Amino acid sequence: MSWIQKLYKTYEVCADAPQFDKKPWPVSHTEQQAHIDIVVDQGGNFQRAALVDKEDTVIPATEASAGRTGKKPPPHPLCDKIQYCAADYKTFGGTKQPFFEEYIHQLHQWQAYDANPKVHAVLSYVEKASVVADLVRAGVLHCGPDHKLLTEWTSEAPVPGLFKMLTPKEKKRDQGDAFVRWRVQVPGDPISGVWEDPNVRDSWIRFDASRRTDLGLCMVTGETTALAASHPKRLRHGADGAKLISSNDDSGYTFRGRFASPEQAYGVGYAVSQKAHSALRWLIARQGKSGDQVFVAWAVSGKSIPDPLADTAQLFEVAGVDDIAGQDAPYQGDAGQHFALRLRKAISGYRALLGDAEDVVVIGLDSATPGRMAITYYRELTGSEFLDRVREWHARYAWFQVYSKDNHFVGAPAPREIAEAAYGLRLDDNLRKATVERLLPCIVDARPLPRDIVAASVRRACNRAGLKTWEWEKYLGIACALVRGSSKEEDYQMALEENRTTRDYLFGRLLAIAENIEQRALHVANEQRDTNAAKLMQRFADHPCSTWRTIEGALTPYKTRLRTKRPAVLLERDKLLDAVMGMFSREDFISDSKLSGEFLLGYHCQRAALWPKGKPESGTPDEDESAVEGEKL
């Protein structure tokens, strides 16, 4: 029950915190999409009505109505659909089962327990049984010549707004599904919406609490209190029917041999359950998470923390870290110093705000069926532990990331991007979710990166066939980040290491130099096509020595072209090629064994060193830049 205790504490801290514009839902409330505003005066007399464009509204709700399903779904206490709050719905030919009797009975009970003038005004109005008639006269609901509510629009006139809002069922729209919320005009009271009035809200919470007689031990607070019989859903989005806590399998294997009732297995107070689920729902929405698989990280105190699943560019953006030395600085061979300064500044900002001993929680949710949700990952950390591990991830797995011509940064990629780099853009949702779930402990728990993910990323970066340029650039940067971060023996720099003499690194440098020579020659001739180095990259990774002989032999015509048009460029590249060749030991060079992912680091760093100044994306400089460089050399 640790997770629900942390969420309960989060609610208690954040529910009334002034720094949050949108707060967690109050106890005994739920959210619905409203379609219609009905305005009445304090005497319960109809004033006007208007359409609302599917506005999310937090309304009073019972434990049963918040998750209502079945043939007889219970009514909400105040705001509800036409089929609930309109006594004349059947009179106007409503096709759905009306629930007005249940609705008005509950409203009478509420008013009898705790009289509220706005609730009384709504009660007085709905008892007049003229809701549908008033809405038809106001042009909000629409009837045919037979004075019955239309289920489809056949007129040549423009389709009314309400018909566009309602979800069709078998190509028909029942206007009884329109959701009504109430506004009560009281002189001197600026708040007309009953859902916005704190007096109405508190009145309902008191009444709903007074009806609870099922007392028991709450395992979260340790107090004897009213227990929850049903727990909230709609945690990840409005249509989410999965629950974290449920017990409706009385005839199956749920209790067999262990318990006689759900209460013997667990006991959670109603208010605790409502607040904990409301806090979780609020955290998911606040962090912009979506989909079936959701990971949420938060500080129990409500203070801001970095998203562990964000890439470094997003981390810097959210942290408000200004560029210390200019956007192009990371590409000028500073070995990551510029990046390290920005990362230190970002983490220091969070550390100053959060504090070392504050509780931080990371939780992962997923559902295999529409009605059941599971906690797939859960960790509790102190603020210092969490920030240290986030900093370590972004520092260790940092590399040049080129997602497009205008989107490049130095840092660690996001787990979702790593999944795509390992398995391609067309990977299915299950594989993506499984990969992200495997990568999260590498960030939060500082576990080693799975070797199969690193190997898959390296293979995809080597196999350039069928990939668009931007895809390959992106996958190459991610693969280099994973290789660098997963290496325990070597500390690779984010700049060309000219003194590194390892076999794989040197072969990577050779490939980059050969590619650059051919690219220059193609550029001089105004040709645009893949180089031999690019075409043979996968084969080179598997059989470097034999493939190098093929690549080197194919360079002869391109060297001849450069010798005529760019002799200074060729001279520099030949010197560099000879220098790298001279760093090999004989055994390393003639060995045709497969290269490790390290060769991508040498390739990428050498390639970056040959880039024109300030141009991290792939390609060659324009003609003027080549001419100037030739003159300098």
Side-chain angles (χ1 to χ4, degrees), residues 415-486:
R416 287 179 62 88
E417 305 293 344
I418 294 175
E420 288 184 3
Y423 305 111
L425 286 173
R426 294 186 177 90
L427 78 165
D428 60 55
D429 288 341
N430 290 333
L431 180 56
R432 186 194 302 275
K433 291 195 295 184
T435 305
V436 173
E437 190 172 330
R438 293 177 66 196
L439 289 172
L440 184 60
C442 302
I443 304 172
V444 179
D445 301 332
R447 293 183 184 176
L449 206 66
R451 291 188 177 183
D452 61 300
I453 295 179
V454 180
S457 300
V458 171
R459 284 195 302 271
R460 186 163 292 277
C462 293
N463 189 9
R464 299 170 69 165
L467 294 178
K468 297 178 181 178
T469 301
W470 69 267
E471 283 183 280
W472 177 74
E473 291 284 355
K474 179 178 180 179
Y475 296 162
L476 176 62
I478 293 175
C480 288
L482 301 189
V483 171
R484 176 179 184 254
S486 59

